[in-house]
Amino acid sequence: MTALLEIENLQTHFKTEGGVVRAVDGVDLKVNEGEVLGIVGESGSGKTVTALSALRLVDEPGKIVGGSIRYDGRDVLSMNKKELTQLRGDRISMIFQQPRVCLNPVISIGRQITELLKQHRDISSKEARNTAISLLNSVGIPDAEKRFSAYAHELSGGQAQRVMIAIALALKPRVLIADEPTTALDVTIQAQIIELLRELCREMGTALVLVTHDLGVVAELADRVAVMYAGQVVEETDVETLFSNPQHPYTQGLLSSMPVLGQRAERLTAIPGTVPKPSDMPPACRFAPRCKTRISLGMDICNQEPPQLLRTAKGSVRCWAIEGAS
Ligand SMILES: Nc1ncnc2c1ncn2[C@@H]1O[C@H](COP(=O)(O)OP(=O)(O)OP(=O)(O)O)[C@@H](O)[C@H]1O
Ligand SMILES: [Mg+2]
């Protein structure tokens, strides 16, 4: 199967006073038509920077310094302004963690949708209005015709995120990147929003890239999963394999720190240690200092040479302890 969106060896760096932050340092990802790809990893692992890079939305002092991004076979890194506008509107869209920040406070929500539609489609104002109302309906905004004229501050957090979803899907993109779309919301609303995203993407055949901390959501929704650690993908595979047979010691650690229904919080095992600071990266394998497998097998190579991403039967993994890696 040819991938719709294919990222290879992506490097996105930030030039800061303290030196170069290698936020994304050799990321490989593939998104196939219509599938749900989950991206998981601890805070600071480079999930958001990867997502922004895919749309070339990384701002100064950040810069994509290496690798390739292809959408439908076309080179995103060499696209001009016009091609990029088309890519971001029609082909790939993105929703963020903080819906209200992304909504324009002085334009009604309905007009934000109609303007987008008119910018990209040759339609009349009336058609645009009808489409916007039906979109607001489909994302579960009650009384959509009346709410058309509402402003962002008049919406609850959950409603604002629903409107963001309506905007993101207005042009029927082939890929929707949702970066922690529910973390700012109440737990009860989170499940509804995730369910809504899944339903709408399925109906439209839109591939969904879901960036999340929540392995429960991944288990329920994703077809494939990429696990990120310190700016790299350390394991990528289908969701069944990830949960039944995780290969990378980091993935194993994440899974064992997952809350089990009915288990008391004190008994959960989190991975000891913290994600390395970009200014203080381990020289070889970035997970080596926290890796139980390295310690129990007494492996020196993990501190000497960076492991490459190795293809496995069901995906890929970056670890010296995997057979065939050395
Ligand atoms: N504007 C910036 N300037 C310098 N460093 C940055 C900038 N933006 C991000 N970074 C760094 O890039 C790294 C990756 O950040 P990113 O936001 O992608 O992480 P994340 O995986 O999305 O984390 P979270 O789960 O907290 O959202 C971090 O070390 C972060 O400090
Ligand atoms: Mg993030």
Side-chain angles (χ1 to χ4, degrees):
M1 195 175 357
T2 46
L4 196 53
L5 179 65
E6 190 161 19
I7 297 177
E8 269 174 10
N9 196 24
L10 179 71
Q11 321 253 342
T12 306
H13 296 175
F14 291 88
K15 254 195 194 148
T16 68
E17 280 178 10
V20 175
V21 174
R22 294 181 160 82
V24 170
D25 203 12
V27 161
D28 294 77
L29 283 177
K30 259 187 195 174
V31 183
N32 296 314
E33 187 112 37
E35 77 174 357
V36 180
L37 172 73
I39 302 183
V40 292
E42 278 163 290
S43 189
S45 56
K47 305 182 296 294
T48 297
V49 175
T50 299
L52 291 172
S53 301
L55 282 168
R56 291 213 7 226
L57 287 172
V58 180
D59 283 331
E60 288 285 324
K63 201 169 179 223
I64 298 173
V65 295
S68 71
I69 302 172
R70 275 191 302 278
Y71 170 80
D72 213 6
R74 280 175 303 148
D75 179 9
V76 172
L77 294 183
S78 67
M79 284 183 179
N80 62 29
K81 227 176 154 187
K82 194 175 157 210
E83 291 169 315
L84 273 180
T85 307
Q86 203 174 38
L87 178 85
R88 291 172 189 157
D90 280 273
R91 314 279 157 66
I92 311 178
S93 65
M94 186 160 171
I95 50 179
F96 300 88
Q97 202 169 339
Q98 298 288 348
R100 237 183 284 259
V101 179
C102 305
L103 286 170
N104 190 322
V106 296
I107 301 180
S108 74
I109 56 168
R111 228 183 95 204
Q112 291 184 52
I113 304 177
T114 54
E115 285 190 356
L116 179 72
L117 289 166
K118 281 159 76 181
Q119 195 189 341
H120 287 264
R121 301 274 184 271
D122 185 20
I123 57 171
S124 70
S125 297
K126 191 163 177 230
E127 282 172 305
R129 187 185 159 88
N130 289 339
T131 308
I133 290 171
S134 97
L135 271 164
L136 290 173
N137 254 323
S138 69
V139 295
I141 297 288
D143 234 346
E145 210 159 340
K146 252 196 213 147
R147 302 297 275 170
F148 182 91
S149 336
Y151 290 87
H153 72 268
E154 299 174 77
L155 306 174
S156 70
Q159 282 176 341
Q161 194 57 294
R162 286 173 193 270
V163 171
M164 283 311 302
I165 293 171
I167 293 174
L169 293 176
L171 299 166
K172 298 192 166 54
R174 285 167 81 191
V175 183
L176 174 65
I177 303 175
D179 187 5
E180 312 253 12
T182 62
T183 35
L185 306 175
D186 288 347
V187 177
T188 47
I189 314 239
Q190 288 185 4
Q192 295 170 13
I193 295 285
I194 292 285
E195 181 61 26
L196 175 70
L197 268 178
R198 180 190 16 206
E199 278 310 308
L200 291 175
C201 286
R202 197 180 275 161
E203 274 168 29
M204 291 186 184
T206 297
L208 175 63
V209 179
L210 188 64
V211 176
T212 177
H213 280 107
D214 191 337
L215 280 165
V217 166
V218 165
E220 207 179 306
L221 240 72
D223 299 307
R224 299 185 68 78
V225 188
V227 180
M228 286 192 63
Y229 188 79
Q232 299 181 322
V233 172
V234 293
E235 181 160 7
E236 189 268 328
T237 185
D238 64 89
V239 70
E240 292 82 18
T241 308
L242 189 94
F243 283 92
S244 63
N245 190 18
Q247 299 286 302
H248 198 284
Y250 178 62
T251 315
Q252 293 166 355
L254 277 184
L255 293 182
S256 63
S257 64
M258 215 177 144
V260 176
L261 217 62
Q263 203 173 9
R264 285 177 53 204
E266 295 85 11
R267 293 180 43 214
L268 301 178
T269 47
I271 306 171
T274 50
V275 181
K277 287 197 197 77
S279 55
D280 195 20
M281 263 318 159
C285 171
R286 289 159 183 207
F287 188 60
R290 296 170 81 185
C291 184
K292 273 200 231 161
T293 305
R294 177 190 65 80
I295 296 164
S296 68
L297 297 179
M299 294 175 65
D300 294 331
I301 191 159
C302 308
N303 285 320
Q304 291 160 353
E305 265 183 68
Q308 301 299 308
L309 202 62
L310 184 79
R311 291 225 61 81
T312 56
K314 297 278 178 73
S316 50
V317 62
R318 190 188 290 276
C319 176
W320 284 120
I322 307 296
E323 210 167 310
S326 48

